């Protein structure tokens, strides 16, 4: 059972457009992470959000952790072709372990 | 430090054969993870170690899969009697221990070992 559902699954947009990716769960997470993965490589961490309601900005990327710590969103402003990749949310749902569960993934393609 | 290394990068095998993948984590990292990923999907948890102890193993794993980390450094993942459904990318990641909340450690991934079972 996949605990973290991402939407949309695929997204193809033109350069300069804005987009939002969602990560939802019925479970409470102590923190959530966002990773980006490019073809042939492993995922690379973008950000960790820890506090419910927290908002973090990384240049054109804005990450938000839901108040109830069950969901998160990633917003990209003025997308660029270099943003193309597979975006993954991840977290530890079970206390007392360090078992990271990954979301279903959102594949983003930004067209020039 | 050269990051997390995985070997081989690609493996093509015939159904029924055994395969073994190796992962060398970042040297000071005490946690090591194995994931399986199919095209366009998120990584699926297989197992993780803290030092040499295997602390959790996915119920999705059949008896054909086994992982070891004998000295708390490198790890191996063996798949016996491979099936076509085993074809996937096998990812290894490592992380260090710190006092932060669970889920706040950085997972550093290797580039993966791609398995194709014919």
């Amino acid at each position: 059972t996949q605990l973290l559902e991402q939407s949309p699954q695929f997204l193809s947009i033109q350069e300069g457009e804005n987009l939002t990716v969602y990560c939802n769960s019925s479970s409470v997470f102590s923190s959530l992470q966002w990773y980006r993965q490019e073809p042939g490589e492993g995922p690379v961490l973008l950000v960790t959000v820890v506090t419910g309601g927290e908002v973090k900005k990384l240049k054109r990327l804005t990450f938000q952790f839901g108040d109830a710590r069950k969901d998160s969103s990633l917003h990209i402003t003025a997308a660029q072709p270099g943003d193309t990749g597979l975006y993954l949310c991840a977290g530890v749902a079970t206390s007392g372990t360090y078992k990271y569960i990954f979301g279903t993934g959102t594949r983003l393609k930004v067209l020039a | 430090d050269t990051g997390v290394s995985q070997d081989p990068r690609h493996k093509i095998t015939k159904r029924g054969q055994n395969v073994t993948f190796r992962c060398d984590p970042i040297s000071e990292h005490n946690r090591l993870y194995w994931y399986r990923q199919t095209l366009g999907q998120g990584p699926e948890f297989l197992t993780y170690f803290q030092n040499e102890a295997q602390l959790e193993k996915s119920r999705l794993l059949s008896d054909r899969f086994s992982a070891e980390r004998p000295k708390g450094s490198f790890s191996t993942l063996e798949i016996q009697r491979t099936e076509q459904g085993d074809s996937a990318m096998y990812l290894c990641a490592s992380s260090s221990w710190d006092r932060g909340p669970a889920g706040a450690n950085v997972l550093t991934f290797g580039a993966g070992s791609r398995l194709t079972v014919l």
Side-chain angles (χ1 to χ4, degrees):
Chain A
T1 302
Q2 186 62 272
L3 296 179
L4 287 168
E5 295 288 338
Q6 290 184 234
S7 62
Q9 188 176 358
F10 300 101
L11 195 53
S12 181
I13 61 172
Q14 293 293 326
E15 182 177 4
E17 292 184 359
N18 302 334
L19 67 117
T20 301
V21 177
Y22 299 94
C23 173
N24 295 295
S25 175
S26 57
S27 302
V28 175
F29 288 81
S30 59
S31 60
L32 274 179
Q33 298 180 324
W34 285 91
Y35 289 78
R36 184 171 74 194
Q37 185 178 20
E38 299 189 20
E41 301 295 330
V44 176
L45 180 72
L46 295 173
V47 78
T48 300
V49 285
V50 178
T51 306
E54 180 178 4
V55 176
K56 277 192 174 179
K57 292 191 175 182
L58 186 66
K59 296 183 180 178
R60 294 176 295 101
L61 278 60
T62 301
F63 304 86
Q64 186 163 7
F65 199 11
D67 292 340
R69 295 187 286 122
K70 292 184 177 182
D71 55 83
S72 181
S73 64
L74 157 60
H75 182 79
I76 302 179
T77 303
Q80 299 177 359
D83 296 328
T84 294
L86 180 67
Y87 288 82
L88 299 159
C89 59
V92 174
T94 306
S95 62
T97 82
Y98 287 86
K99 173 184 171 181
Y100 286 76
I101 299 297
F102 279 79
T104 49
T106 295
R107 183 164 295 282
L108 171 65
K109 186 171 185 178
V110 182
L111 304 171
Chain B
D1 196 339
T2 57
V4 178
S5 299
Q6 292 190 243
D7 184 71
R9 290 293 309 275
H10 303 276
K11 179 71 176 178
I12 300 174
T13 190
K14 292 183 179 179
R15 188 179 56 184
Q17 299 294 305
N18 299 343
V19 296
T20 299
F21 301 115
R22 175 179 170 124
C23 173
D24 287 273
I26 292 172
S27 57
E28 62 268 26
H29 285 184
N30 68 334
R31 292 199 188 99
L32 185 147
Y33 297 79
W34 284 101
Y35 289 86
R36 178 172 65 187
Q37 185 178 31
T38 52
L39 196 61
Q41 300 297 311
E44 179 183 27
F45 174 82
L46 295 179
T47 188
Y48 88 98
F49 294 83
Q50 182 160 303
N51 300 314
E52 66 274 9
Q54 187 174 21
L55 296 188
E56 194 158 351
K57 183 177 176 180
S58 170
R59 287 175 291 178
L60 297 173
L61 251 61
S62 69
D63 292 341
R64 298 185 297 107
F65 287 72
S66 62
E68 295 182 343
R69 194 183 184 199
K71 297 182 179 179
S73 57
F74 74 92
S75 175
T76 58
L77 175 68
E78 182 183 18
I79 309 174
Q80 297 182 326
R81 305 181 303 281
T82 52
E83 302 172 355
Q84 288 183 326
D86 297 331
S87 294
M89 176 75 84
Y90 290 84
L91 292 167
C92 175
S94 67
S95 74
S96 60
W97 177 88
D98 64 35
R99 298 187 186 87
N105 301 130
V106 178
L107 295 184
T108 302
F109 281 86
S113 293
R114 179 166 296 284
L115 173 66
T116 301
V117 182
L118 301 176

